[in-house]
Amino acid sequence: MSKQSEQKSVSEKMNELSKLVAWFEGDDFELEQALDTYGKAEQLATEIEHDLVNLKNEITVLKEKFDT
Amino acid sequence: MASDQIPKFSVSDFIAVLNQSLEYSFGTVEIEGEVASFRVNQGKWVFFDIKDATGSVNCFMSLFQLRVPVEDGMKVVVRAVPKITAWGKFSLTIQSIRPSGEGSLKKSFELLKAKLDKEGLFSPERKRPLPEIPAHIAVISSTSAAGYADFIKILNDRWSGLIVDVAHVQVQGESAPEQIMRAIAYFNSRETLPEVLVIIRGGGSADDLAAFNDEPLVRAIAASRIPTIVGVGHEIDVSLADMVADVRAATPSNAAQLVVPDRKELTNTLGQLVRRILVRIDGMVDDYLKDTQAMLRQGWTMLDVRVDLLQSQLVTSRQVMAAYNPKAVLSRGYAIVRGEATTGGMITIEQQERIITAEVKDVETI
């Protein structure tokens, strides 16, 4: 897992994966690049699954008071 | 009592002393009654009477303090300071007014709903979509409420990696609308805006949920720069805050379901995405194979045509050659005569199967 992609949020990774899938379904598709791109997509999918299992929601109750 | 012991005041002092006494005795009071003679003067001041079967008191307030629509006949609870005016008239200076009883709450709700609807605040065109997968959300609720606990539980069950900022506010009672409005303003003024603003509260009586029909609060939700989702009460409860929000959730739990996707569903979707890619690659390889095979077949077909053509040309050539072959002529009974065709000369006569040598006896010109 690359350090750069670790810093991305799940939604950013999902967007990236959607773009890769769109490339496969678009007119720019080239068989020569397909295996390389498929590798990236598979890695992203694995990272997203990993994130979904291991990350926790970061819930913060604000200290600000709203009663005055 | 001697006349010098009887208190003596100027009119103004007397009114001031009376007001002081009223303040010591009551301070602020809440009075429940029915509204009568309701009117707004100069677009600023509100006058009405609050009455019951046998009594009636004049009331006064400024228009901006009126947070819910009021009309004659409505049962209300007013929070007020009793006062004697400079003209000696007893009056209640109203600090707040809220409908009381199911009928009045409903009436007030319908009046405000009609007003806001006329302004287009509930129009579908105003609704903004929520992000499919938010990374940062803001929640406005009471952290001690059951609805909040339900929301957080469902949120954690469904999704991870989310930043959730929670503003703890009162979600019922007189101060609730102001607190929620301050929290909305707080999140809307942050340098980095949350992607969704979630306003939630669990179930309660109509009176408990009345805060979510407060006009300034409803307008604050409508004006939020951050897309809003409101989940108040149970499925059957409808508040104006729900109606004006970009997305209405039936309950706080439903709000969590609408805010984030389910990780299990997403994992399935990921699998489907990867499979779609493989299908595409397989399809592309198949297409290339089909194209290659088609080109190969075309090549073979062209080769066959050329071979046939050459074979046909060969046959023709053979036929022409055969036609010119002298032996073919001999086979039809003809002969080739060679030698000197003069009388007494020797000649050879070649036939298909023999050669005859002969002497010329005579030569006659035809």
Side-chain angles (χ1 to χ4, degrees):
Chain A
M1 201 181 301
S2 70
K3 203 169 183 180
Q4 196 182 9
S5 63
E6 267 184 24
Q7 291 163 350
K8 290 177 185 165
S9 69
V10 172
S11 62
E12 284 170 328
K13 286 178 187 173
M14 276 302 294
N15 282 339
E16 207 171 308
L17 181 62
S18 299
K19 280 179 192 163
L20 291 179
V21 174
W23 179 83
F24 275 96
E25 293 171 345
D27 295 334
D28 296 336
F29 176 87
E30 282 178 18
L31 197 54
E32 290 75 15
Q33 285 182 32
L35 282 180
D36 185 38
T37 311
Y38 175 74
K40 285 181 192 166
E42 200 180 28
Q43 188 189 336
L44 265 174
T46 308
E47 283 180 27
I48 293 166
E49 278 187 33
H50 178 268
D51 287 352
L52 290 177
V53 171
N54 293 298
L55 286 177
K56 300 280 177 208
N57 290 326
E58 205 178 293
I59 300 169
T60 310
V61 178
L62 302 172
K63 288 177 184 164
E64 279 79 2
K65 298 285 178 196
F66 300 97
D67 52 357
T68 51
Chain B
M1 187 181 290
S3 64
D4 57 347
Q5 289 179 312
I6 297 171
K8 188 177 178 185
F9 300 99
S10 69
V11 176
S12 302
D13 285 348
F14 180 63
I15 291 170
V17 168
L18 274 181
N19 279 330
Q20 201 173 42
S21 302
L22 281 171
E23 195 180 333
Y24 286 151
S25 303
F26 300 107
T28 303
V29 291
E30 282 200 348
I31 300 169
E32 187 172 23
E34 188 183 308
V35 174
S37 306
F38 181 88
R39 64 192 186 280
V40 178
N41 280 1
Q42 300 168 354
K44 286 183 194 171
W45 315 115
V46 179
F47 298 90
F48 63 94
D49 299 332
I50 187 163
K51 65 173 192 177
D52 60 15
T54 53
S56 177
V57 180
N58 294 321
C59 297
F60 163 79
M61 70 190 297
S62 57
L63 187 60
F64 82 89
Q65 288 174 303
L66 188 65
R67 303 176 74 106
V68 290
V70 171
E71 65 176 23
D72 286 352
M74 277 177 63
K75 198 174 172 190
V76 296
V77 174
V78 295
R79 181 172 289 189
V81 177
K83 268 192 176 170
I84 307 291
T85 69
W87 299 273
K89 198 173 171 188
F90 180 76
S91 169
L92 291 172
T93 302
I94 307 293
Q95 294 172 336
S96 67
I97 180 169
R98 62 179 194 275
S100 168
E102 201 176 324
S104 290
L105 282 169
K106 198 171 175 196
K107 181 72 183 169
S108 173
F109 175 90
E110 292 300 335
L111 285 170
L112 185 55
K113 182 180 158 192
K115 178 182 173 184
L116 299 177
D117 193 26
K118 203 172 169 187
E119 292 179 30
L121 256 65
F122 307 135
S123 160
E125 294 81 45
R126 294 188 76 257
K127 308 289 181 194
R128 295 165 292 184
L130 303 183
E132 277 183 35
I133 305 176
H136 178 196
I137 67 168
V139 179
I140 299 175
S141 186
S142 165
T143 54
S144 52
Y148 171 76
D150 292 344
F151 175 83
I152 294 296
K153 183 183 180 305
I154 303 288
L155 197 75
N156 286 334
D157 284 350
R158 288 175 69 86
W159 197 246
S160 1
L162 191 65
I163 295 172
V164 185
D165 288 333
V166 182
H168 170 63
V169 295
Q170 283 195 14
V171 288
Q172 73 181 67
E174 198 148 313
S175 63
E178 278 296 336
Q179 288 193 26
I180 298 170
M181 283 166 63
R182 284 192 200 107
I184 292 171
Y186 170 82
F187 285 121
N188 273 277
S189 64
R190 291 181 86 171
E191 197 173 331
T192 306
L193 292 180
E195 294 160 74
V196 186
L197 191 58
V198 185
I199 301 171
I200 45 171
R201 188 212 186 281
S205 67
D207 203 33
D208 291 341
L209 304 181
F212 294 90
N213 294 323
D214 176 84
E215 184 173 349
L217 172 60
V218 174
R219 290 188 184 281
I221 294 170
S224 171
R225 292 158 66 200
I226 308 163
T228 52
I229 173 167
V230 175
V232 171
H234 298 300
E235 282 191 47
I236 51 162
D237 297 319
V238 178
S239 73
L240 296 174
D242 288 343
M243 294 172 69
V244 83
D246 291 301
V247 175
R248 175 183 185 264
T251 60
S253 301
N254 182 230
Q257 290 166 340
L258 294 172
V259 166
V260 291
D262 186 346
R263 63 161 73 83
K264 294 183 198 96
E265 282 173 19
L266 192 89
T267 305
N268 289 339
T269 307
L270 284 175
Q272 283 168 6
L273 282 177
V274 173
R275 279 195 290 280
R276 255 164 66 187
I277 293 176
L278 284 174
V279 167
R280 170 72 165 151
I281 293 178
D282 280 353
M284 213 60 183
V285 169
D286 279 352
D287 286 350
Y288 279 140
L289 273 175
K290 279 176 195 158
D291 288 351
T292 311
Q293 284 168 353
M295 282 191 278
L296 212 56
R297 275 198 300 275
Q298 197 180 0
W300 279 114
T301 306
M302 290 303 292
L303 200 62
D304 280 351
V305 170
R306 294 304 291 261
V307 167
D308 285 351
L309 187 66
L310 285 172
Q311 279 179 339
S312 163
Q313 285 172 347
L314 189 62
V315 168
T316 307
S317 298
R318 278 186 185 282
Q319 284 169 347
V320 170
M321 293 284 287
Y324 286 122
N325 185 354
K327 286 190 176 174
V329 179
L330 295 182
S331 70
R332 296 202 300 272
Y334 291 95
I336 300 168
V337 179
R338 297 185 186 87
E340 200 176 336
T342 54
T343 303
M346 295 301 289
I347 57 171
T348 58
I349 303 161
E350 185 180 341
Q351 293 180 310
Q352 187 181 18
E353 288 174 348
R354 60 189 173 181
I355 296 170
I356 303 165
T357 306
E359 183 183 343
V360 178
K361 291 282 186 184
D362 188 25
V363 177
E364 190 178 334
T365 304
I366 301 170

